[in-house]
Amino acid sequence: MARIHRLSPRLANQIAAGEVVERPASVVKEVLENAVDAGATRIEVDVEEGGVKLIRIRDNGQGMEPDDLPLALARHATSKIHSLEDLERVGSLGFRGEALASIGSVSRLTLTSNHRDDSSEGCSALCEGRDMEVAVKPAPHPRGTTVEVRDLFFNTPARRKFLRTEKTEFNHLEEVVKRLALSRFDVGFSLRHNGRGIHSLRPADSTAERQRRVASVCGPAFMEQAVYVEHERGGLRLWGWVGLPTFSRSQADLQYFFVNGRVIRDKLVAHAVKQAYRDVLYHGRHPAFVLYLELDPALVDVNVHPTKHEVRFRDGREVHNFIFSSLHKALADVRPGQGGSDPVSALGAGETVDLQTGEIRAQSALAWGGPAPAPALSEGRAMPVGGYQGYSSAPASPVRAAEQMRAYGQLHPANAPLPEAEAEDVPPLGYALAQLKGIYILAENASGLVLVDMHAAHERITYERLKLARDAEGIRSQPLLVPQAVAVSSREVALALENSELFARLGMQVDGAGEESLLIRQIPVALRDSNVEQLLRDVLSDLAEYGSSDRIEAHMDEILSTMACHGSVRANRRLTLPEMNALLRDMEETERAGQCNHGRPTWTQLGLDELDRLFLRGR
Ligand code: ADP
Ligand code: MG
């Protein structure tokens, strides 16, 4: 074996570059982050040939003193932290002090900077990947810094081979600029490729300007179909925009999550978000969101990975819960009439307006004319109750549609269109005009025509009622005649015991039965035909990975959802106007009523302006 020797500085840097500099986009990320850390309010990015030939980034930040230029290019040199304590609550994006050294070792890098407001004379340093020796000479430059990176990987042909087409590299690079633009609204960004302007984003101070920036980065369609969320609890703050479930995507390509201003990709976060969308997203679709989590920097470790795309939370379970519950609530509140200028959206959280009297009530009082299994319900109102009773005591029996529809008629006999003068009081989904092909309800509201998919809407209403009923009554469970043994690892035994309360809450009793074995003694009645062993295994693996699991609820919900689907009005059923109006009113009061149980939209609006356009009116 050869003797040990020290790596040359260049080789050491090139090895480090292997982690940090994967492609032109990684260079842009590092250099942009430095500009932001330097307090720049205006950053210009110019690239050629997807960034492989040239990346030039100019900022108006605090600049560097001439003596600092060689240090900036040296490895393990930073101005951002001094001690381990600093690292534990780091506020800057950078702190490792190796980005510029790494980039300089695999490209031709020129650093030009000026730290003075009163002079346009700065200094420039060149580093050509050879010996890492840096010569500093005077160069004109306004206050701020310009970093120019030419011929990336010119001296590391192996790396060069991994580069993709110019277009692909540019797409990656543009994505990096977008992320930074979303993370810092107070900074102006511009991006040019081969001399062509691609983005030009002015600093955004007001809410309207921020929304405009999100729209220009994520596309206007996202902004039109997103709701703003803002939630704070126990030192955690989450805000941003989440796409409506009907604005889902086939890929997870419109998902931005920032933790204290740093964009991250995190399994725990992804799981919490996915779980929040569980009930409303079409199978296999991905939600779109731009979200910002803010918390005490001491509670999150950013020094997990060289590119800092990952973080570690001190209390992962708490963060998971917080994200999940904030988003879950926001999505449940999405119902007809949300958004725009109607009265419902003007209400505070947890409030709802009584559509008959205009009275504002707290959410809990809303219900369905009382808690779901109210004893006073008459025969005709069997729709929610029938399904509910079927679920909790006897095997589920689909509720007959005819009965339900009769129920609608009796529930809301007084719904008739209002005279013109009271147009302002028209409920969000308006009043029914007619039924089309036994499938759609046509209704008129303040802004025009409303189209409702009758079955899809009724399915969601029934489903939400079944869930409410279950929540009101608690989950019924039954002991297994023969407890089921499940062979697991010792770690999983420990997890199951630690979480026995969670299982109990969901109607399951799981006991330890040896070092590597569990016994399922009791299960929810609703799951009696399910593969509970598989379910238990999946729950344990969730618990191991994310500290929480919603699989049991998800599975029970699925069963309710199927019941709701069978119990809902089918197509080709004639409804009377009062029945249709009753359905519309129920939709307005039902959580998540904008989507059916499978995530398809339940209704849509054709505004007068759109109708006018169809008929070329008013031109
Ligand atoms: P880090 O960002 O982790 O400190 P870098 O290698 O990216 O390490 O940068 C090294 C140092 O160079 C920074 O700590 C900073 O002091 C200085 N620097 C880099 N870019 C700029 C810039 N655009 N403006 C001012 N100072 C900069
Ligand atoms: Mg840096």
Side-chain angles (χ1 to χ4, degrees):
M1 214 169 81
R3 301 289 303 275
I4 299 175
H5 63 94
R6 275 191 193 284
L7 296 174
S8 75
R10 177 177 60 132
L11 186 54
N13 284 330
Q14 285 173 333
I15 291 171
E19 286 176 307
V20 183
V21 191
E22 187 194 349
R23 58 189 348 152
S26 355
V27 173
V28 171
K29 172 181 182 289
E30 295 297 336
V31 178
L32 278 181
E33 290 187 351
N34 282 343
V36 167
D37 282 345
T41 55
R42 165 93 230 147
I43 305 176
E44 289 162 28
V45 184
D46 246 297
V47 301
E48 283 172 26
E49 297 181 12
V52 180
K53 178 146 178 265
L54 170 74
I55 294 169
R56 188 192 299 118
I57 299 184
R58 169 192 276 265
D59 70 59
N60 65 352
Q62 65 181 37
M64 281 172 274
E65 302 200 25
D67 291 348
D68 280 353
L69 291 188
L71 271 177
L73 291 166
R75 194 152 165 237
H76 301 150
T78 181
S79 57
K80 298 172 193 174
I81 56 169
H82 290 93
S83 65
L84 193 63
E85 289 83 68
D86 291 346
L87 179 59
E88 278 164 11
R89 37 176 56 254
V90 66
S92 56
L93 294 169
F95 52 79
R96 299 174 64 100
E98 59 182 10
L100 289 182
S102 300
I103 296 166
S105 73
V106 293
S107 69
R108 299 189 167 94
L109 190 159
T110 315
L111 198 56
T112 311
S113 192
N114 176 6
H115 72 290
R116 292 172 52 159
D117 269 321
D118 57 353
S119 147
S120 56
E121 245 339 278
C123 273
S124 149
L126 173 74
C127 163
E128 276 211 354
R130 266 192 311 269
D131 39 19
M132 305 305 290
E133 286 293 316
V134 182
V136 179
K137 56 178 202 286
H141 197 282
R143 180 178 179 266
T145 303
T146 298
V147 179
E148 203 177 272
V149 176
R150 288 183 183 275
D151 306 321
L152 184 62
F153 301 141
F154 78 98
N155 55 352
T156 47
R159 258 295 147 106
R160 219 184 157 92
K161 282 202 199 101
F162 280 97
L163 292 177
R164 302 279 169 247
T165 61
E166 173 173 337
K167 186 165 180 308
T168 304
E169 291 306 334
F170 180 74
N171 286 345
H172 282 285
L173 187 156
E174 185 188 4
E175 186 60 30
V176 166
V177 176
K178 284 180 172 181
R179 283 186 202 144
L180 228 4
L182 288 176
S183 81
R184 290 298 295 265
F185 289 104
D186 54 333
V187 180
F189 291 89
S190 74
L191 172 64
R192 298 171 67 79
H193 188 208
N194 296 333
R196 210 161 59 86
I198 308 289
H199 288 287
S200 176
L201 305 163
R202 276 180 298 145
D205 298 324
S206 66
T207 311
E209 284 172 326
R210 280 194 276 272
Q211 296 202 353
R212 209 169 309 133
R213 177 176 287 198
V214 176
S216 86
V217 169
C218 302
F222 169 69
M223 217 51 214
E224 278 159 26
Q225 300 196 57
V227 283
Y228 180 74
V229 294
E230 192 171 358
H231 210 208
E232 205 163 349
R233 189 180 77 202
L236 299 172
R237 176 164 183 259
L238 183 73
W239 63 280
W241 296 268
V242 290
L244 293 175
T246 39
F247 182 77
S248 62
R249 319 213 3 125
S250 61
Q251 273 166 30
D253 58 350
L254 214 166
Q255 306 189 332
Y256 297 95
F257 199 95
F258 301 87
V259 175
N260 290 344
R262 192 186 297 279
V263 70
I264 57 136
R265 264 169 284 155
D266 185 80
K267 272 197 303 193
L268 181 115
V269 167
H271 184 260
V273 175
K274 198 170 154 216
Q275 192 170 315
Y277 273 91
R278 166 167 66 73
D279 222 8
V280 286
L281 209 59
Y282 200 67
H283 187 71
R285 303 286 295 180
H286 301 272
F289 53 84
V290 178
L291 286 170
Y292 303 84
L293 178 69
E294 287 159 14
L295 72 169
D296 180 349
L299 298 180
V300 46
D301 184 0
V302 291
N303 187 26
V304 178
H305 191 267
T307 61
K308 310 185 201 81
H309 276 312
E310 287 166 37
V311 292
R312 203 177 291 131
F313 296 104
R314 177 84 59 85
D315 188 348
R317 190 182 282 221
E318 169 70 17
V319 170
H320 185 285
N321 269 341
F322 175 68
I323 297 173
F324 166 74
S325 55
S326 309
L327 298 184
H328 185 72
K329 164 107 187 45
L331 291 168
D333 286 345
V334 175
R335 63 185 84 183
Q338 237 255 351
S341 55
D342 63 79
V344 176
S345 63
L347 300 172
E351 284 177 332
T352 181
V353 69
D354 184 327
L355 294 150
Q356 318 291 328
T357 63
E359 211 177 83
I360 293 173
R361 310 184 274 200
Q363 185 102 339
S364 52
L366 155 78
W368 324 99
L377 291 178
S378 69
E379 277 282 278
R381 298 169 70 174
M383 185 195 62
V385 182
Y388 159 74
Q389 283 171 342
Y391 160 68
S392 63
S393 49
S397 68
V399 186
R400 259 167 303 138
E403 249 172 47
Q404 293 160 18
M405 281 304 107
R406 220 174 316 119
Y408 268 125
Q410 291 172 3
L411 266 172
H412 304 264
N415 275 324
L418 289 173
E420 283 290 311
E422 290 174 66
E424 277 171 22
D425 301 330
V426 175
L429 290 179
Y431 294 108
L433 300 170
Q435 197 180 4
L436 184 68
K437 298 276 182 207
I439 302 171
Y440 299 107
I441 293 172
L442 311 187
E444 177 182 347
N445 69 357
S447 34
L449 181 67
V450 172
L451 291 156
V452 174
D453 179 332
M454 203 171 92
H455 173 70
H458 190 202
E459 192 176 293
R460 170 60 74 179
I461 293 169
T462 312
Y463 177 39
E464 293 298 329
R465 286 182 180 183
L466 290 174
K467 282 197 290 182
L468 275 184
R470 177 190 62 198
D471 295 347
E473 129 138 348
I475 294 164
R476 292 200 166 203
S477 67
Q478 67 180 31
L480 289 178
L481 231 45
V482 184
Q484 190 172 344
V486 182
V488 293
S489 70
S490 55
R491 171 158 160 62
E492 285 169 320
V493 172
L495 264 178
L497 298 181
E498 275 166 35
N499 287 281
S500 61
E501 225 167 89
L502 169 95
F503 284 111
R505 196 158 37 79
L506 296 169
M508 242 167 122
Q509 188 190 337
V510 181
D511 292 346
E515 238 165 75
E516 298 190 331
S517 174
L518 289 169
L519 265 192
I520 307 177
R521 292 193 184 278
Q522 191 152 328
I523 60 166
V525 177
L527 296 186
R528 90 192 114 194
D529 296 326
S530 308
N531 183 344
V532 282
E533 174 179 343
Q534 189 55 48
L535 192 59
L536 175 64
R537 286 185 191 286
D538 292 346
V539 169
L540 290 173
S541 92
D542 280 353
L543 288 174
E545 193 136 347
Y546 315 111
S548 92
S549 174
D550 71 332
R551 276 180 205 269
I552 302 175
E553 290 107 310
H555 205 79
M556 291 195 289
D557 282 357
E558 230 168 77
I559 292 168
L560 289 190
S561 165
T562 311
M563 282 167 50
C565 182
H566 291 304
S568 298
V569 256
R570 296 270 143 207
N572 285 322
R573 180 164 297 281
R574 284 278 145 208
L575 300 185
T576 64
L577 284 180
E579 285 169 342
M580 289 188 248
N581 281 327
L583 183 65
L584 297 178
R585 300 296 79 79
D586 281 345
M587 284 175 73
E588 285 155 357
E589 299 214 342
T590 300
E591 295 195 330
R592 306 173 193 85
Q595 308 85 40
C596 78
N597 305 352
H598 315 287
R600 278 184 277 108
T602 54
W603 68 286
T604 187
Q605 169 96 55
L606 257 180
L608 269 189
D609 47 340
E610 282 163 282
L611 291 169
D612 288 349
R613 240 178 285 136
L614 274 179
F615 294 98
L616 310 176
R617 247 172 177 276
R619 296 214 178 166

